Amino acid sequence: MGNDKQLKYKGKPLVRCGEIILYGDINENYIIRIIINKVSKISGLNISNDVTVQLVRSGPMAHGVCKAIKTSHKPGLYEAMDLGSAWLDRALVSG
């Protein structure tokens, strides 16, 4: 049995550690790294309003290096996830 409690977005794993969110399967060639740079409190909730999204090489091709291949700044988490998902899908298809 798999880990049914793992959070997923569009069928890919989504893991948060502090202000960093990793999206994608670490065993594949690429993942998305989202860095939350700034948070505002709105109605008692913390809302990310400045994030960096990066396409990062992972898996066996990474050689232990976590260098960003593409980077963009977005005004919110939704925009970052949308862009990151598109980048990841294209990168995984092209190899």
Side-chain angles (χ1 to χ4, degrees):
M1 274 194 201
N3 184 356
D4 294 335
K5 294 187 180 192
Q6 183 177 36
L7 185 60
K8 291 189 176 192
Y9 177 72
K10 295 187 178 181
K12 293 180 178 65
L14 189 64
V15 178
R16 181 173 180 171
C17 182
E19 301 304 314
I20 298 176
I21 298 170
L22 299 178
Y23 171 58
D25 186 342
I26 198 76
N27 296 311
E28 293 184 320
N29 292 334
Y30 299 94
I31 60 169
I32 293 297
R33 176 172 53 201
I34 296 174
I35 303 165
I36 300 169
N37 300 315
K38 192 174 178 185
V39 175
S40 295
K41 199 169 266 292
I42 299 173
S43 298
L45 297 173
N46 289 334
I47 305 296
S48 305
N49 59 8
D50 177 32
V51 297
T52 303
V53 58
Q54 301 174 326
L55 177 66
V56 178
R57 187 175 299 278
S58 67
M61 296 182 68
H63 305 294
V65 178
C66 226
K67 185 178 178 186
I69 297 166
K70 288 184 179 184
T71 300
S72 181
H73 294 279
K74 294 294 173 192
L77 194 53
Y78 175 81
E79 294 90 346
M81 288 300 301
D82 193 41
L83 178 62
S85 177
W87 279 358
L88 185 58
D89 288 344
R90 277 189 235 128
L92 292 175
V93 167
S94 65

